[in-house]
Amino acid sequence: RWECGPCLDSGVRVVPGAVRVMESRDQRLDNATVTYVARADRRSILGDSCFVSIRGTTNVANWLRNFQAWKEPVHFPYDGCSGCKAEYGFTTIWNRVKPGILAALRELGCVPAHEAKGRSYLTGSVYVTGHSMGAAVGTLAMLTLAELGYRVRPSYLFESPRVGNEAFVQAFMRIFNNETKPMWRVTHAKDPVPDLPPRILQYRHVEYQVHYSADGTYRQCDIPFDPLCEEGLFDGLRHLTDHCNLSLTPSMTICGCYGGSESGAGSAMFV
């Protein structure tokens, strides 16, 4: 449902009944991937469009421990980029949830732009958002949706780890590099998650970044490795609370359900 105060205050409205919530579980992990797909009301701030939200892991600390032994990225199939590689786990999750997301979008009347042309009941516009692992999977989703012909609108991804190699980043930026800044990668203070997987394994971040300091001030970062946007390299889990405690939400945390009980870095969710 789309009834919480912050949801309504955002100016976003959802077409009644045009919501699909899907859960995909991997037995190797201790939590499921939950995706939220909805059709926005054409009178709302998003206009006639759909949006896809991908939840982060429900236990960030365990997730980081499970991936302490990061491996080099694996091939990510993308037309025109034979050298594109992405992290194996994120790629596996995206491949698992992709069929359900694409089916839900089509069911709600959200189709590639060329199919929507001239049909007022269809739309080719889609927004993507996610937090933590959900932001990483959302990055893959943006590239795939654009390749399929969707008009991927300016999207916000929060506290994303690095997703792919330099070839992947260059392919992403060729598609999305324009004056409207079609994607903002939001980071916070000394959160360790954006510093993983390590750069030594050839992982790189996509642009563009907005970094929020602990005092709530922020800086737009238009160049890679801006020292003013990198408050500290990964130093374990000492600053893991920075992964959740973000002043952009009324509850001052982006983890857990609004108004519900919180468990620090224990339950990351962005829906």
Side-chain angles (χ1 to χ4, degrees), residues 120-247:
S120 60
Y121 57 93
L122 297 176
T123 179
S125 297
V126 62
Y127 295 82
V128 179
T129 191
H131 175 250
S132 189
M133 181 181 69
V137 177
T139 302
L140 300 178
M142 288 182 66
L143 196 58
T144 300
L145 290 170
E147 183 182 30
L148 291 174
Y150 284 89
R151 290 192 297 267
V152 181
R153 296 305 192 186
S155 299
Y156 291 82
L157 299 171
F158 297 84
E159 313 281 18
S160 177
R162 296 185 181 100
V163 177
N165 65 349
E166 182 64 30
F168 175 89
V169 170
Q170 293 302 317
F172 189 95
M173 297 312 299
R174 280 197 300 272
I175 296 295
F176 295 112
N177 185 16
N178 60 46
E179 294 180 359
T180 62
K181 300 288 195 304
M183 191 276 282
W184 291 109
R185 182 173 57 83
V186 181
T187 59
H188 177 235
K190 293 182 178 292
D191 176 16
V193 172
D195 282 322
L196 291 171
R199 296 186 68 250
I200 195 172
L201 294 180
Q202 307 306 312
Y203 288 95
R204 300 292 185 268
H205 268 306
V206 297
E207 301 176 30
Y208 298 91
Q209 180 186 5
V210 173
H211 181 78
Y212 279 80
S213 298
D215 62 5
T217 59
Y218 68 91
R219 175 181 173 84
Q220 178 179 322
C221 318
D222 288 333
I223 60 173
F225 319 124
D226 187 330
L228 295 179
C229 295
E230 303 290 340
E231 293 194 1
L233 297 177
F234 177 69
D235 60 355
L237 304 182
R238 291 194 305 117
H239 300 287
L240 192 54
T241 54
D242 286 344
H243 190 60
C244 290
N245 298 340
L246 191 60
S247 60

Side-chain angles (χ1 to χ4, degrees), residues 29-51:
L29 301 176
D30 61 356
N31 60 273
T33 303
V34 177
T35 56
Y36 183 101
V37 181
R39 179 79 178 258
D41 190 308
R42 65 176 66 241
R43 296 166 297 180
S44 76
I45 192 173
L46 296 184
D48 191 13
S49 64
C50 279
F51 61 91

Side-chain angles (χ1 to χ4, degrees), residues 6-59:
C7 299
L8 299 177
D9 292 342
S10 70
V12 176
R13 297 292 185 272
V14 170
V15 175
V19 173
R20 302 294 182 269
V21 180
M22 298 163 287
E23 179 178 285
S24 177
R25 184 170 296 277
D26 187 331
Q27 297 301 321
R28 296 169 298 174
L29 301 176
D30 61 356
N31 60 273
T33 303
V34 177
T35 56
Y36 183 101
V37 181
R39 179 79 178 258
D41 190 308
R42 65 176 66 241
R43 296 166 297 180
S44 76
I45 192 173
L46 296 184
D48 191 13
S49 64
C50 279
F51 61 91
V52 177
S53 176
I54 306 172
R55 188 182 73 172
T57 177
T58 57
N59 194 315

Side-chain angles (χ1 to χ4, degrees), residues 79-142:
D79 189 29
C81 184
S82 60
C84 280
K85 295 183 178 181
E87 198 275 323
Y88 172 79
F90 304 148
T91 303
T92 299
I93 293 170
W94 170 236
N95 287 335
R96 192 171 70 243
V97 302
K98 177 172 64 175
I101 289 176
L102 294 180
L105 285 170
R106 185 166 291 276
E107 183 181 353
L108 298 177
C110 302
V111 297
H114 66 275
E115 295 184 36
K117 188 175 182 180
R119 300 177 179 179
S120 60
Y121 57 93
L122 297 176
T123 179
S125 297
V126 62
Y127 295 82
V128 179
T129 191
H131 175 250
S132 189
M133 181 181 69
V137 177
T139 302
L140 300 178
M142 288 182 66

